[in-house]
Amino acid sequence: MNLKKKIFLQICLLMLLIFMIAFSLLSYYLLIDHRGQEIASAKSKAFALVQTIEKIIMWYDYSELETSLKFEVENFPICEYVFIEMHGRIISYTFDDGVPPALLKLHEFMKERSEIKQFQDQNGNVFYDIAVRGEKIGAIIHYGISENEIDNHALSWLISLSVVFFVIFCVAIFLSYKFATFITSEERKKSIEIQRLQNYLSNIIDSMPSMLVGIGTDIKVTQWNIKAQQITGITPKEAKGQPLEQALPYMASKMERVREAIQMKTVCSDPRQSRVVEGETIYEDMTIYPLIANGIDGAVIRIDDVTEKVRIEEIMVQSEKMLSVGGLAAGMAHEINNPLAGMMHTSFVLNDRLTNLQVPENIRAAKEAGVTMEAISTFMESRGIIKMAERIRESGSRAAKILSNMQSFVDESKSVFSSHNIAELLDESVDLVASNYDLKKKYDFHLIKIIREFEDNLPNVVCEESIIRQVFLNILTNGTESIHERQMSEEHGAKGKKSVEPCFVFRLINEKEVSMVRIEIEDNGSGMDETIRKRVFEPFFTTKPTDQGTGLGLSVSYFIIKEKHGGEMSVESKTGKGTKFIIRLPIERMKL
Amino acid sequence: MSNQSKIVLVLDDDENVRKSFIDFFDDRSWKTLSAVTAEEALEVLTREPVDGVIVDIRLPGMNGDEFIQTSRLIFPTLAYVICTGSPEYDPPKDITVLSQVFNKVFDKPCTNLNAVEEALRLQIEKCNRQGK
């Protein structure tokens, strides 16, 4: 806008100058030099008139004389009067009341053929009297022009010229305005386009999920996108112009690679670079793209945080391992279960024989040995032998449990999918956990309140009920233990403090648009920190003592939901607040 | 005891498992017989009166389920309790629904053998009632 005004103003001033010069030149010509011109033209008119008059007089047509004089006066605005003098006698004139005597004396002795004399009338008006002698007839024709008329005539010219000039000036200004608009709008369009392109480019760069850093040949930062700002906390303004190793200190070891990439104009990628941030290892893919367009030298460094991906890959690798292990476990199960059964059954019988007073054979054998069953019992009890036998059985059942867990990884095709009500499956799992916990007498599951937030009209889900129940069981068992843990720590801690009521929240949500049912199981147990949360689905990862958990429960659950049902499973948690497992199951069976 | 005269046949190819069952049932005043293979068990059944059989499924030669299908026709009042160490080797569904077979399959190793005894006792009673 500014530019447009400027251009317009300049054009206007220039034109004004030109017009003023032209106008003043014209005015000078019209107002100063015009009298001579007019007098000269009047003189030639007078000569022409003389010829006409001569003809008229020679033909003795005197009546024509007066009309031709009047014609002359009427048709030439500057011509004030005409009269003819012949041998000192006036023969015709255009005055109303006779020829003023002053005029007659003006040309008393004419030497030339023509003569111009000035005179003033009684009103002070100035006239020029042009006297021309007709040689053939000896008459003198006086042609009078008024100075006022000449000036008026010039003035009217000047006025009409001014009007024309003004109109031209207006048109010129209008055109120059249009011109300025045109030029500046082109400029504006260009600058808008440039601005738009810049925005577009930085939008593209900023919307990239990767960290993008542009550098020049001097290895100084030229570009710094939003992601880079998020990761480093350095704003693009601060980063631009800084040497790369200052903006990104951990790139210091990569300077050679960067230089090489720029010089050789080849793409350099360094995948899976690990570095430790706040005690956690993060993995990054780093790629250096040299700029190969003409005229621009430098490179773009792209850094992607692939920590999560690496973790997932690790889980996948583990899962695959588990699959083969699962296959192996299935084959081995029989071979291992039998010796385990041998051990555990024998241990059971051992216990029975040492303690059971109801077995007649025991009593008989004791009597034969000269002791009583009571004495044997007491001995066994005091030496802890009964407990030992129990421990043998416990270890055995743990081995058996690991075996059966490992078999869950087998990707069997014989699994039976059918339509089930998830709410019912959840309730069945709750019953299972409840009985399980009552059995172990560790913690009373019934103390935990269960809040059910189920959406109405939930569709049935096609799934394998027994393994889905196993998933719920795993989550509920973990949740219960976590709640128990929190209760314990709060009991040990501040005694006066009222501890929260232990509870589970179940939510079932129908995600119609993606044909899925979302199952949320939330506990208000002890929760876990981010490091643990990221690893909960890893096989053999456990926070429990080795005799309590196999570290397979949640990874099996993940495998079941993801691989067997094509669903999704994730977990959110806050230390000291609780944990939420989110499972999304497709309503129809997915083709896997 | 009420089981005084009851006779149990333990069919399992694993010696220690077999022996542990025998010892256990001995102590509980059962009369015990044992067989390593299904073929041997069939032979024992023809020789001795047996009330119930503890059957392993995976066996050398004839399988446990085949053994049940064969023997139940000859001995219609015989009770069976399945106890298997191969979870992947599920017995066919039609075996567990038979009236002579206890409806729950026990996994080996069993943590509580009393449950197996109880199951066998119940199944024998049921078969006797059916036989009458």
Side-chain angles (χ1 to χ4, degrees):
Chain A
M1 279 313 265
N2 242 349
L3 186 69
K4 179 179 149 186
K5 272 184 187 163
K6 239 185 228 170
I7 290 178
F8 178 57
L9 213 67
Q10 277 174 0
I11 294 176
C12 282
L13 281 172
L14 190 73
M15 285 208 309
L16 203 64
L17 198 71
I18 293 169
F19 273 90
M20 268 165 65
I21 292 168
F23 194 72
S24 51
L25 279 175
L26 212 71
S27 325
Y28 172 81
Y29 169 76
L30 279 176
L31 289 179
I32 309 300
D33 198 40
H34 73 287
R35 284 182 191 161
Q37 296 261 344
E38 289 292 346
I39 289 166
S41 72
K43 204 172 157 184
S44 60
K45 279 207 186 307
F47 272 104
L49 188 64
V50 166
Q51 278 177 357
T52 317
I53 301 295
E54 270 180 345
K55 276 178 194 153
I56 291 170
I57 290 174
M58 278 200 294
W59 288 98
Y60 300 103
D61 194 2
Y62 288 91
S63 57
E64 284 288 309
L65 203 62
E66 205 168 331
T67 26
S68 92
L69 291 190
K70 280 202 171 120
F71 176 84
E72 198 69 27
V73 173
E74 277 160 16
N75 279 288
F76 297 99
I78 55 165
C79 179
E80 193 67 18
Y81 62 88
V82 182
F83 69 90
I84 305 164
E85 185 192 354
M86 203 186 255
H87 311 298
R89 205 162 52 87
I90 308 294
I91 61 163
S92 187
Y93 56 89
T94 56
F95 293 104
D96 289 338
D97 40 3
V99 180
L103 269 176
L104 295 171
K105 284 171 191 153
L106 216 56
H107 303 281
E108 264 192 316
F109 308 101
M110 260 181 81
K111 286 177 184 133
E112 303 294 320
R113 197 183 160 201
S114 66
E115 225 177 50
I116 297 170
K117 287 259 163 82
Q118 206 179 18
F119 90 104
Q120 266 183 335
D121 68 358
Q122 55 267 46
N123 300 325
N125 296 322
V126 179
F127 295 92
Y128 296 97
D129 189 81
I130 303 163
V132 180
R133 193 170 35 233
E135 296 287 346
K136 289 176 186 168
I137 52 173
I140 298 165
I141 290 157
H142 293 262
Y143 199 91
I145 49 177
S146 152
E147 198 186 56
N148 282 347
E149 280 302 321
I150 291 171
D151 286 354
N152 283 345
H153 187 61
L155 206 66
S156 70
W157 261 105
L158 195 69
I159 287 165
S160 50
L161 260 173
S162 313
V163 170
V164 170
F165 265 64
F166 182 72
V167 169
I168 292 172
F169 186 69
C170 284
V171 170
I173 282 181
F174 176 74
L175 286 179
S176 67
Y177 177 78
K178 281 277 163 198
F179 179 67
T181 316
F182 174 74
I183 285 186
T184 51
S185 69
E186 278 298 302
E187 283 298 313
R188 214 174 67 222
K189 266 186 215 157
K190 267 183 206 159
S191 71
I192 287 170
E193 183 67 9
I194 288 169
Q195 191 64 42
R196 204 184 65 83
L197 280 175
Q198 269 175 356
N199 281 343
Y200 186 56
L201 192 68
S202 59
N203 260 332
I204 288 175
I205 292 171
D206 282 342
S207 65
M208 290 289 152
S210 315
M211 178 170 162
L212 291 178
V213 176
I215 47 168
T217 36
D218 51 357
I219 327 281
K220 276 183 182 168
V221 176
T222 56
Q223 273 288 341
W224 191 262
N225 75 344
I226 296 266
K227 187 78 188 175
Q229 184 185 346
Q230 284 169 359
I231 289 172
T232 57
I234 301 170
T235 62
K237 236 183 198 170
E238 293 164 348
K240 275 176 195 172
Q242 274 195 48
L244 182 62
E245 65 263 45
Q246 233 173 65
L248 285 177
Y250 64 89
M251 284 293 290
S253 57
K254 298 278 171 199
M255 296 313 283
E256 267 316 301
R257 292 282 278 166
V258 175
R259 270 189 209 103
E260 192 188 302
I262 294 174
Q263 267 165 20
M264 309 294 287
K265 295 216 183 290
T266 51
V267 177
C268 275
S269 26
D270 292 331
R272 302 284 189 274
Q273 302 290 305
S274 68
R275 65 189 173 97
V276 177
V277 177
E278 287 161 11
E280 253 187 78
T281 309
I282 65 166
Y283 294 91
E284 286 170 329
D285 280 356
M286 194 187 75
T287 317
I288 306 158
Y289 300 96
L291 297 175
I292 44 173
N294 286 336
I296 303 169
D297 276 329
V300 174
I301 299 170
R302 175 182 151 193
I303 299 170
D304 292 297
D305 186 345
V306 290
T307 314
E308 203 65 19
K309 206 173 140 196
V310 169
R311 292 242 158 83
I312 286 168
E313 272 174 17
E314 273 169 11
I315 292 179
M316 288 319 290
V317 167
Q318 292 276 19
S319 293
E320 268 163 41
K321 264 191 216 161
M322 282 301 113
L323 263 178
S324 51
V325 167
L328 195 63
M332 280 175 11
H334 180 257
E335 309 307 325
I336 292 178
N337 275 336
N338 271 322
L340 273 179
M343 276 165 54
M344 288 165 69
H345 293 182
T346 309
S347 151
F348 189 88
V349 177
L350 197 65
N351 189 48
D352 220 37
R353 288 198 173 172
L354 291 172
T355 56
N356 201 334
L357 300 175
Q358 316 239 291
V359 176
E361 194 61 24
N362 286 356
I363 299 163
R364 198 190 56 77
K367 206 177 255 174
E368 243 174 46
V371 283
T372 61
M373 270 307 283
E374 285 77 10
I376 294 171
S377 273
T378 316
F379 174 80
M380 294 301 158
E381 203 69 60
S382 71
R383 297 297 295 133
I385 289 168
I386 306 301
K387 284 263 148 44
M388 288 178 188
E390 240 167 57
R391 283 209 290 274
I392 294 174
R393 282 204 303 287
E394 261 177 38
S395 302
S397 43
R398 238 178 51 227
K401 198 176 171 201
I402 292 173
L403 263 183
S404 82
N405 264 339
M406 278 159 86
Q407 284 176 87
S408 311
F409 286 111
V410 182
D411 192 20
E412 283 167 294
S413 44
K414 68 174 179 184
S415 41
V416 187
F417 278 75
S418 47
S419 188
H420 290 284
N421 184 332
I422 291 291
E424 279 172 19
L425 285 183
L426 254 176
D427 287 340
E428 284 167 27
S429 310
V430 169
D431 292 344
L432 266 168
V433 182
S435 60
N436 203 13
Y437 265 81
D438 284 349
L439 218 65
K440 284 188 184 167
K441 296 264 188 271
K442 249 185 171 173
Y443 181 71
D444 192 358
F445 187 79
H446 296 290
L447 288 177
I448 301 174
K449 190 177 157 193
I450 290 173
I451 300 165
R452 291 175 174 82
E453 294 174 6
F454 295 170
E455 254 183 27
D456 295 332
N457 305 323
L458 280 166
N460 277 6
V461 171
V462 175
C463 63
E464 206 179 332
E465 69 172 306
S466 61
I467 61 172
I468 290 294
R469 223 186 273 129
Q470 192 192 335
V471 171
F472 293 156
L473 193 70
N474 283 334
I475 294 173
L476 290 171
T477 309
N478 275 304
T480 311
E481 272 159 18
S482 166
I483 287 171
H484 180 49
E485 198 177 295
R486 182 171 177 187
Q487 301 279 317
M488 293 290 282
S489 69
E490 276 175 9
E491 264 171 43
H492 288 301
K495 280 222 167 131
K497 219 169 91 184
K498 179 98 179 78
S499 56
V500 286
E501 187 187 11
C503 80
F504 271 115
V505 182
F506 298 161
R507 285 187 202 93
L508 293 181
I509 298 149
N510 185 9
E511 295 187 340
K512 276 181 205 144
E513 51 290 350
V514 286
S515 296
M516 278 185 153
V517 168
R518 181 187 172 99
I519 305 149
E520 293 185 5
I521 301 176
E522 192 175 343
D523 66 60
N524 60 354
S526 54
M528 55 196 160
D529 62 34
E530 189 61 14
T531 336
I532 293 173
R533 189 198 67 79
K534 279 182 180 164
R535 297 187 62 193
V536 284
F537 297 128
E538 255 175 57
F540 296 114
F541 176 79
T542 179
T543 55
K544 297 169 195 165
T546 42
D547 60 333
Q548 277 180 30
T550 60
L552 285 174
L554 286 176
S555 59
V556 168
S557 304
Y558 186 83
F559 184 84
I560 287 169
I561 298 297
K562 189 114 185 167
E563 301 294 316
K564 289 199 174 177
H565 288 86
E568 278 166 28
M569 183 168 180
S570 60
V571 60
E572 293 168 3
S573 186
K574 254 189 191 154
T575 319
K577 296 269 181 224
T579 304
K580 178 157 88 176
F581 282 92
I582 299 152
I583 294 169
R584 296 169 74 225
L585 280 177
I587 292 168
E588 297 297 328
R589 202 186 167 192
M590 309 253 292
K591 289 258 182 295
L592 297 176
Chain B
M1 280 199 164
S2 59
N3 298 329
Q4 201 71 42
S5 54
K6 298 283 186 253
I7 300 165
V8 60
L9 169 62
V10 177
L11 168 54
D12 201 310
D13 59 328
D14 189 287
E15 194 189 353
N16 288 343
V17 176
R18 202 169 58 242
K19 276 191 177 157
S20 67
F21 274 123
I22 295 291
D23 287 343
F24 175 72
F25 281 106
D26 270 347
D27 286 353
R28 302 294 160 108
S29 309
W30 291 69
K31 282 189 180 155
T32 51
L33 293 166
S34 66
V36 178
T37 63
E39 289 81 358
E40 192 189 338
L42 282 172
E43 203 187 300
V44 172
L45 284 176
T46 52
R47 272 193 282 114
E48 309 273 346
V50 173
D51 293 300
V53 192
I54 302 289
V55 191
D56 188 12
I57 291 295
R58 201 159 126 177
L59 292 165
M62 187 192 275
N63 270 336
D65 48 317
E66 285 168 324
F67 163 75
I68 293 171
Q69 292 289 17
T70 318
S71 58
R72 79 184 177 94
L73 299 173
I74 313 166
F75 310 99
T77 58
L78 194 57
Y80 301 92
V81 171
I82 298 170
C83 192
T84 176
S86 320
E88 98 288 359
Y89 202 79
D90 278 340
K93 275 260 182 305
D94 52 341
I95 289 286
T96 48
V97 296
L98 290 174
S99 64
Q100 278 172 267
V101 181
F102 189 67
N103 57 7
K104 186 186 175 230
V105 174
F106 286 93
D107 284 334
K108 272 194 300 186
C110 294
T111 39
N112 187 5
L113 291 182
N114 290 330
V116 181
E117 188 204 3
E118 182 68 14
L120 187 62
R121 210 167 46 74
L122 286 172
Q123 192 59 36
I124 289 170
E125 270 171 26
K126 189 181 166 197
C127 290
N128 282 344
R129 273 203 308 277
Q130 279 169 354
K132 271 168 198 168

